[in-house]
Amino acid sequence: MTPTTVLTIAGSDSGGGAGIQADLKVFAALGAYGTSVLTAVTAQNTRGVDAVLPLAPRTVTEQLDSVLGDFRVRAVKTGMLGTPAVADAVADAARAGRLPHLVVDPVLVATSGHRLGVVEAVERLLPYAEVATPNCAEAAALTGRPVTTVEEMVAAAEALVAGGPAHVVVTGGDVDAAGEAVDVLAGGGTVTLLRAPRVLTRHSHGTGCSFSAAIAVRLAAGDAVPAAVGAAKKYVTRALTGARNWELGAGRGPLDHFGWS
């Protein structure tokens, strides 16, 4: 049986825990065939990001044309875009209807705190997103308001949906919610709180990338958005749990994408 093809448009992580590398691992772990378009090359590891080299918009467009001209892509996720010009190139493809089931992960700041993107770049893509997956810091940057509680997550998700995306998931892995990891899904006139036990671990590098990639795989398989988001949350919870005792790198390590532990 031919596997479903999913596309990631994101930056490279030389440490392998986030970005293109994490996305392709998630696609493979969940049974999809992964294709990729690089937007930037980074020098990074578990301790931080040492350098970022954005690629030219033309190079991004050429990669897109090559992949989309040959593969039947069923869903697309974006991560680090780097510059507004690159975002414009991706938005042009979305506007033309070439990026089905688009999941936008607005990568603005790495786990280490290094700034990887600009708000203007993300805003160019949000109107075309079936699902956008900001964490609390990214939701705050996009809405211009604090997002530090579950109540503020709900308000931010509703505000972002009003501005373009069909659905928004504000992920709350860093919010103190009585031992739970609470995400807020808004869209279609409803708001849903997704709860799971908080996984106590320093190994969380690439959590947002992995979550959005898993959503894209499930959308490609035909799931409705709520089901896709729920399945992605369960997958990430398992991946965080599996890597709790790993010793890969000296900083925030990667997730257990393949269920090795």
Side-chain angles (χ1 to χ4, degrees):
M1 214 171 127
T2 303
T4 300
T5 300
V6 184
L7 169 64
T8 171
I9 305 170
S12 170
D13 172 5
S14 53
I20 288 279
Q21 287 85 343
D23 294 343
L24 293 176
K25 290 173 186 177
V26 173
F27 296 164
L30 297 180
Y33 180 80
T35 56
S36 62
V37 168
L38 261 66
T39 59
V41 175
T42 71
Q44 64 175 295
N45 53 33
T46 64
R47 291 176 295 184
V49 180
D50 297 315
V52 177
L53 175 65
L55 298 184
R58 178 177 175 179
T59 302
V60 173
T61 298
E62 288 171 342
Q63 292 175 81
L64 269 173
D65 289 344
S66 185
V67 172
L68 297 176
D70 188 38
F71 293 91
R72 186 182 179 189
V73 172
R74 298 297 187 89
V76 181
K77 70 141 291 187
T78 64
M80 175 188 174
L81 298 171
T83 67
V86 167
D88 281 338
V90 178
D92 285 344
R95 191 179 302 112
R98 303 175 71 198
L99 306 182
H101 294 303
L102 179 61
V103 180
V104 174
D105 179 16
V107 178
L108 296 175
V109 180
T111 306
S112 63
H114 189 100
R115 184 166 295 278
L116 295 176
V118 293
V119 170
E120 292 82 3
V122 174
E123 288 175 337
R124 282 159 163 74
L125 266 187
L126 287 180
Y128 308 103
E130 184 169 355
V131 187
T133 63
N135 61 28
C136 288
E138 291 159 349
L142 291 167
T143 61
R145 63 180 72 172
V147 183
T148 59
T149 67
V150 173
E151 292 74 20
E152 290 172 347
M153 291 168 63
V154 171
E158 291 179 324
L160 289 169
V161 164
H167 299 83
V168 171
V169 188
V170 178
T171 58
D174 295 324
V175 171
D176 184 5
E180 290 186 312
V182 180
D183 300 335
V184 175
L185 169 62
T190 64
V191 174
T192 304
L193 269 57
L194 296 89
R195 302 178 182 273
R198 182 179 298 279
V199 180
L200 299 178
T201 176
R202 68 180 173 91
H203 300 306
S204 58
H205 183 52
T207 303
C209 303
S210 302
F211 180 63
S212 55
I215 293 173
V217 171
R218 295 313 312 162
L219 292 177
D223 284 2
V225 169
V229 171
K233 185 170 179 66
K234 290 180 181 178
Y235 170 76
V236 168
T237 299
R238 289 195 301 269
L240 284 165
T241 302
R244 278 184 301 184
N245 298 316
W246 284 10
E247 295 183 6
L248 288 174
R252 290 180 178 265
L255 279 59
D256 180 8
H257 291 106
F258 294 106
W260 289 339
S261 299

